[in-house]
Amino acid sequence: MSNCLTVEEYRAIAGSILLPTQAFIDGTFRPAISGKTFESINPATGKVLANIAACDKNDVDLAVAKAREAFKDGRWCKMLPADRKAVLLRLVELLRRNARELAVMESIDSGKTIYDCESVDLPEAINCIKWHAEAIDKIYDQVSPASDGHMAMIVREPIGVVGLVLPWNFPLLMLAWKIGPALAAGCSVVVKPAEDTSLTTLRVAELAHEAGVPKGVLNVVTGSGADVGQPLGLHTDVDMVSFTGSTETGRRFLRYAADSNIKEIVLEMGGKNPCIVMDDAENLESVAAHVVNGAFWNMGENCSAISRLIVHKDVKAPLLERIVACVREWPLGDPLNPGNRIGALVSKAHFDKVCSYLDGGEKLYIGGSTVEGIYVEPTVMDVSNNQVRAARDEIFGPILSVITVESLDEAIQIANDTDYGLTASIFTGNAKRALHGARSLKAGTVTVNSFGEGDASTPFGGYKQSGFGGRDKSIHAHDQYTQLKTIWLDLS
């Protein structure tokens, strides 16, 4: 993407964008059947951005019927793999052409900084769809080692109609993580964006149709969890649901599956992610930068955010000094100002929840306050132990709890003492310690001497209550949108 603009130029773009407001079903925008709408609020200003179609079960039924029709007649799933790839690569090109507009739309809809939208979210979303598009005609099926008188083929087939339920913290990126492999596999999809952040999902659906994705293959139904998410989860003509969001809501989708057609469920849910820093960690300046990025990127509204810093007592003081200095280099304010690194939280309700944790520490190193509007300062605080509320709950905000330890074994025990197991980090200069720690940490992704989530080629998902059923990203993501079939041939 080109260089950053001025805040005035970003504001001008925000004021000129024609925001999508209707559901996208069967290749066209349409209002909710009921005619109802809900307000989309700019978190940074509190002002109404748009009135979005408030869909319900009737709209879900229509979208699923159109998706089933598209899947049944094979207009997408039976298209030549190379042709499906070409369509998705055209979508990639359209996303690139419209990247600035999408970045601004994402920022004003979610409170995310334009810095993050342009430097992380858009490039990674585009790359994700490109990666899965390129994989379409490169995935081979298998032939098993049967006897001379038989041949056994193991083939993948698209699972069918898929419900994709998105979170509000990374609307565009999570959309890419799901539609990339789902469309590459040949599925038809019905997307339910988060009620707080629907705009970029609707715009991408429009661009996908322009790129050549046939009508009925990519549908977007906007509305609340009760009115759209529940009927999608209970729908007997939906073959699978892939959900990213809270553990509480993930449990609901398991119940919906049990109460309907026992559809397949893939859950990517919460995290209370530890970062262990041992006394032999090298380059504390670099460690501090990784910790701050991990804790405060996207205002901490990130399921993989570093939420617990588990630090050896001998290195704690110099590390905290550097962390505090690094936090001071993360300005807070207007998300459309490209110099700011901390924007607004997504909603007043979420702001109130995050604020309830600000007084949960024993010693405050930095932050601890709010700013006019729904902004929370990046906060670093000591907690007495791993049992206090701030150390156990997924806060989903810019608050880092610090826990002091005296050994690696103690650090690992505390790190694993959580209901979650999404990501973890360990910093040490000793290779044996690093490998021992990485193998011992109960998490789906463990980073060594860094914070991150890998890249498009690495699977992302968690242990325990962080989710199960499949993985986002990588070749493994394709598998969750397919069925395995054995074809047994008698050659005698």
Side-chain angles (χ1 to χ4, degrees):
M1 192 174 295
S2 58
N3 293 332
C4 288
L5 306 179
T6 65
V7 62
E8 291 78 14
E9 289 172 316
Y10 283 119
R11 288 173 181 164
I13 293 172
S16 66
I17 295 174
L18 183 62
L19 299 175
T21 61
Q22 299 181 330
F24 192 85
I25 300 174
D26 202 31
T28 187
F29 284 115
R30 61 181 74 204
I33 292 172
S34 68
K36 295 179 180 179
T37 63
F38 64 91
E39 292 181 342
S40 177
I41 305 295
N42 182 336
T45 65
K47 295 180 179 179
V48 176
L49 286 170
N51 291 295
I52 309 291
C55 298
D56 58 25
K57 182 179 183 301
N58 293 320
D59 303 279
V60 172
D61 288 344
L62 176 63
V64 172
K66 293 301 182 181
R68 177 61 63 190
E69 180 183 306
F71 188 75
K72 189 174 181 180
D73 69 23
R75 68 187 71 160
W76 180 249
C77 64
K78 295 188 184 302
M79 187 183 289
L80 289 175
D83 292 341
R84 282 207 313 276
K85 178 177 76 170
V87 170
L88 291 184
L89 290 178
R90 284 198 293 272
L91 171 58
V92 166
E93 182 56 34
L94 287 173
L95 292 173
R96 284 181 176 144
R97 290 182 203 168
N98 293 275
R100 178 141 278 155
E101 171 200 307
L102 286 163
V104 172
M105 194 182 295
E106 189 90 326
S107 179
I108 62 176
D109 200 25
S110 67
K112 298 164 69 76
T113 64
I114 192 67
Y115 176 92
D116 282 348
C117 291
E118 287 202 322
S119 66
V120 179
D121 295 47
L122 261 297
E124 289 197 8
I126 292 169
N127 182 60
C128 176
I129 293 175
K130 181 176 183 291
W131 195 94
H132 289 291
E134 292 285 6
I136 289 175
D137 57 359
K138 299 174 182 67
I139 299 176
Y140 288 80
D141 290 325
Q142 297 169 310
V143 176
S144 82
S147 69
D148 287 344
H150 301 87
M151 176 177 286
M153 298 184 293
I154 298 94
V155 300
R156 295 180 183 89
E157 295 180 351
I159 198 167
V161 174
V162 175
L164 304 175
V165 183
L166 307 181
W168 48 255
N169 59 330
F170 289 97
L172 190 55
L173 189 54
M174 294 303 99
L175 174 68
W177 279 20
K178 294 187 187 299
I179 65 170
L183 293 178
C187 297
S188 295
V189 303
V190 178
V191 183
K192 186 237 175 280
E195 193 174 1
D196 288 323
T197 53
S198 301
L199 296 179
T200 50
T201 299
L202 291 168
R203 179 63 174 132
V204 170
E206 182 181 28
L207 292 174
H209 185 65
E210 182 181 340
V213 174
K215 66 179 185 178
V217 172
L218 174 54
N219 308 276
V220 180
V221 185
T222 51
S224 70
D227 291 333
V228 176
Q230 181 174 350
L232 187 62
L234 288 168
H235 207 294
T236 56
D237 210 20
V238 172
D239 301 297
M240 172 196 163
V241 168
S242 177
F243 166 81
T244 297
S246 71
T247 302
E248 178 185 357
T249 305
R251 287 191 178 98
R252 293 195 188 110
F253 278 97
L254 290 177
R255 295 187 189 103
Y256 299 155
D259 291 342
S260 56
N261 57 338
I262 316 184
K263 59 178 64 64
E264 292 197 24
I265 300 291
V266 173
L267 301 177
E268 196 279 283
M269 302 184 291
K272 191 64 180 174
N273 310 294
C275 173
I276 295 173
V277 180
M278 294 308 300
D279 54 333
D280 59 356
E282 299 172 342
N283 191 349
L284 292 186
E285 297 284 350
S286 175
V287 175
H290 278 287
V291 170
V292 169
N293 186 49
F296 303 126
W297 168 47
N298 203 55
M299 293 72 70
E301 295 173 331
N302 180 10
C303 58
S304 64
I306 292 175
S307 185
R308 294 177 295 153
L309 174 61
I310 304 170
V311 58
H312 193 280
K313 62 182 180 62
D314 291 346
V315 77
K316 178 181 177 180
L319 177 62
L320 265 296
E321 180 182 342
R322 288 164 173 81
I323 286 174
V324 168
C326 189
V327 170
R328 297 191 193 283
E329 298 174 0
W330 281 55
L332 177 151
D334 182 356
L336 287 180
N337 183 335
N340 287 333
R341 298 297 307 275
I342 304 284
L345 298 189
V346 73
S347 68
K348 179 61 166 60
H350 185 61
F351 170 82
D352 290 341
K353 176 205 166 188
V354 172
C355 288
S356 72
Y357 292 91
L358 287 174
D359 60 356
E362 291 190 325
K363 176 181 178 180
L364 183 67
Y365 293 95
I366 192 170
S369 299
T370 63
V371 177
E372 183 179 358
I374 51 174
Y375 295 82
V376 174
E377 291 181 339
T379 298
V380 182
M381 60 188 187
D382 267 338
V383 296
S384 57
N385 58 68
N386 197 49
Q387 303 308 312
V388 301
R389 182 168 165 260
R392 301 212 66 83
D393 295 355
E394 183 182 33
I395 300 173
F396 227 63
I399 299 175
L400 175 63
S401 298
V402 181
I403 302 171
T404 310
V405 295
E406 297 185 2
S407 68
L408 178 59
D409 287 343
E410 182 187 4
I412 291 171
Q413 186 276 322
I414 291 173
N416 288 336
D417 180 22
T418 174
D419 293 332
Y420 300 105
L422 188 58
T423 68
S425 305
I426 181 169
F427 288 82
T428 173
N430 182 292
K432 185 176 179 180
R433 266 184 167 182
L435 186 56
H436 170 67
R439 293 294 297 269
S440 300
L441 289 165
K442 304 302 181 185
T445 296
V446 179
T447 59
V448 178
N449 293 329
S450 66
F451 164 79
E453 296 175 353
D455 60 17
S457 70
T458 57
F460 183 83
Y463 289 18
K464 298 186 279 188
Q465 292 185 30
S466 288
F468 67 91
R471 290 291 190 264
D472 288 318
K473 301 194 304 174
S474 83
I475 205 69
H476 296 278
H478 286 252
D479 291 340
Q480 65 196 19
Y481 297 105
T482 63
Q483 296 273 29
L484 274 183
K485 176 180 285 185
T486 296
I487 300 176
W488 182 263
L489 294 88
D490 189 334
L491 305 179
S492 60

